[in-house]
Each structure stands twice: as C-alpha cells, then as structure tokens.
Amino acid sequence: MITSIMERAGRNGGFVTRADLVFRLPDGKEIALVDRTRGIRNPTSMEATITVMSSADGPYADREVAGGLFHYAYRKGSTNGDNAKLRRAYELGLPIVLLRKTRESEFVPFAPVYVVEDLVEQREFLLALDESVRFLGQGNPEAPERRYAERVVKQRLHQAEFRGRVIAAYQTRCAICRLRHGELLDAAHITPDREDAGLPAVSNGLALCKIHHAAFDMNMLGISPDYVVKVDKKLLDEVDGPMLRHGLQEMHGTALTVPTRRGDRPDKTRLEQRFAAFLQKVS
C-alpha cells in the first residue's frame, strides 16, 4: 500500500487526497488509510500503524526535524491506546507513511518513514524521514553527520510540501500549457528560494511543466504582473522543430492559468520584480 500511495501522489504532482487514500482489499472490502477524527490510522486488521498525520496548525506539538529526525507527539491520554500500534511499528521495524496536511483533505505523503525512538517521558516518537538517517538514533545532536542529515531532511520536507501545495492549488496542471501529468510538473519559485524573500508560500509559486520551469528559470520566458506569458524575442525568431514552435513560441501572449483561490494566485509584486529581470536579460 505504501508504494501505491506514493505512486498516486506522483500522478497528482506530489500530493494525495482522502479519496486517494482508500484502497480495495483482496476480499473486496475497502480500507481508508487516513482517519477522519484522529491523526493516526490503526486498522484493526493490521498489527501496526500504517499512517500518521501531521499539520502545522494541528493540536499536537509535532516539531520539524532536529538532528534529521521528525518529532511526532503522542495522542492525548494514555501512553498506550492509539500510540500502542505506532510503538509496535517501532518494535517490528515496519515502515509507515507520514501525511503532512496542507489543506482540508489534501496531504503530502512521505514514505517509507520509520519510528526510530519512543520517548515515553517526552510523549513523542522520533521518525526518520530518510533512509540515510534511520540508524542515527539520538546520539550527539551536534555531530557533523547529524547536522548534515538535518539539512538534507529539512530540504526534502520543505521542497516536497511546497511542490504539493502549489500543484494542488493549480489542480495538477501547468499554468502555461495546461499539461495535466503530475509526474511532469514542478513547483517553480517566483522569488528564488536562495533569496531571503523566497518563501515557500503558494503565492510565490507556479505549477509549471519541466520545459516551462527550465525556460522560466533561465529567463527565456517571463510572466508579467497581469499574468501574461512573454517569450524572449530571440526564441520567437528562431526556426527549429515542433517543440520550440508549439511548446514555447505559441505560448507567447497567452494568459496564465491561475488558482481559483485568490490567496493562492501569484503575487503580483513578486512577478513584477521577476519580470523586470526577464526584460533586462532580453533587452
């Protein structure tokens, strides 16, 4: 099931919905892999937890990775209860899926994830989001390998969440050419993430197919603050095959497809700054 979840996320462009998390078993029964009332899914037919859910605005003190490990809080009440099957996943070394809730009924999945520590006194589990940090344990948090793992896992966590939120907002389609194959879509930053202002907000992102993402990053095409696509005049004058003609030249002057929610639409101030860089490059 874990592989199937990640495959479904890949088709969507990095996220899954509640509907994607329903599977049909060999006996014909359906099983939902996310719970509607709690953040941990413990199917009665399974010995251990299959998914845990975390939300930035949720009621628990889930913390982002420290030392390369994700801190997942116990459910309230007994240290057993719903926590017992997650503890069993730890004891058996079984992989689970971490679902990061981005909005109602939409999640960015991470898998395989392993429970590597059960901190009873702190009422939390430590989860390894990357195979490379699975066996680090608690150890010395200042060790170079721990600091490296923390950077890698934070980057993976943030990039995946940004991509999932942006592509979901654009309903799994390229904002320029409307391509709907999630596996071929990226979340492009308007203000680059290497800059301090390059925040991982949906309004600083664009869902673009890989060719348009590359062209945007290279300033071969720009997007004006009024959401119109502009292509470098040198490319417009160039004669080449059908990809250039249909994939780039015919996009010149077309309107950008934007999210339905106003708050998710590209920030016009950011676009203005980025478009100025495009104009300077092509002038």
Side-chain angles (χ1 to χ4, degrees):
M1 289 186 185
I2 290 178
T3 300
S4 296
I5 291 173
M6 301 311 291
E7 287 175 349
R8 293 180 183 189
R11 289 195 295 270
N12 292 343
F15 69 96
V16 289
T17 64
R18 284 190 182 274
D20 292 319
L21 294 169
V22 176
F23 288 82
R24 188 174 297 278
L25 299 176
D27 61 6
K29 295 181 181 179
E30 288 189 340
I31 182 172
L33 299 188
V34 63
D35 200 293
R36 288 192 174 275
T37 59
R38 52 179 63 112
I40 187 168
R41 183 70 173 109
N42 294 324
T44 56
S45 60
M46 296 183 180
E47 186 175 0
T49 297
I50 183 66
T51 66
V52 294
M53 180 173 63
S54 174
S55 174
D57 56 358
Y60 296 99
D62 299 332
R63 290 179 279 138
E64 292 201 349
V65 291
L69 299 172
F70 187 89
H71 296 240
Y72 187 80
Y74 281 13
R75 271 184 58 80
K76 289 181 180 178
S78 169
T79 56
N80 292 311
D82 287 333
N83 303 308
K85 283 197 171 183
L86 188 51
R87 184 171 296 114
R88 190 60 177 150
Y90 167 51
E91 294 166 351
L92 297 174
L94 296 175
I96 64 171
V97 180
L98 171 65
L99 299 170
R100 290 281 279 175
K101 184 178 179 182
T102 53
R103 63 175 61 178
E104 189 60 35
S105 298
E106 289 181 356
F107 314 89
V108 174
F110 294 86
V113 168
Y114 292 89
V115 186
V116 295
E117 292 284 350
D118 178 12
L119 306 180
V120 180
E121 291 186 1
Q122 295 172 227
R123 295 185 59 82
E124 65 182 14
F125 295 98
L126 296 185
L127 309 181
L129 274 62
D130 189 279
E131 191 74 27
S132 65
V133 301
R134 182 182 175 188
F135 301 105
L136 283 179
Q138 288 181 269
N140 175 11
E142 297 303 317
E145 62 270 21
R146 294 295 297 274
R147 294 198 299 271
Y148 172 76
E150 183 173 333
R151 288 198 304 273
V152 169
V153 175
K154 277 187 176 180
Q155 184 179 44
R156 179 188 173 202
L157 186 72
H158 295 169
Q159 287 180 346
E161 287 187 10
F162 177 67
R163 179 172 183 258
R165 290 199 308 270
V166 169
I167 294 180
Y170 284 80
Q171 300 179 326
T172 312
R173 63 182 171 185
C174 174
I176 293 177
C177 68
R178 289 63 163 175
L179 180 72
R180 288 186 175 272
H181 287 270
E183 302 94 329
L184 300 177
L185 298 181
D186 293 334
H189 286 79
I190 300 172
T191 303
D193 58 352
R194 64 178 178 273
E195 299 181 12
D196 291 341
L199 302 177
V202 174
S203 60
N204 187 39
L206 296 163
L208 298 178
C209 70
K210 294 185 180 298
I211 187 170
H212 290 136
H213 185 185
F216 182 71
D217 281 352
M218 297 295 293
N219 281 323
M220 299 173 106
L221 66 78
I223 298 169
S224 68
D226 55 350
Y227 300 152
V228 177
V229 179
K230 302 291 185 179
V231 176
D232 183 347
K233 188 177 184 303
K234 293 178 182 177
L235 280 181
L236 291 175
D237 293 339
E238 191 175 322
V239 177
D240 202 349
M243 178 55 74
L244 175 64
R245 184 169 68 255
H246 300 303
L248 290 170
Q249 292 171 340
E250 291 180 3
M251 297 298 104
H252 182 68
T254 60
L256 194 73
T257 298
V258 298
T260 303
R261 290 177 51 175
R262 289 187 178 275
D264 289 341
R265 293 176 185 174
D267 182 274
K268 293 191 174 186
T269 300
R270 293 179 183 274
L271 278 180
E272 184 176 13
Q273 294 169 346
R274 185 64 185 265
F275 193 60
F278 165 75
L279 293 177
Q280 183 177 13
K281 189 257 183 183
V282 301
S283 62

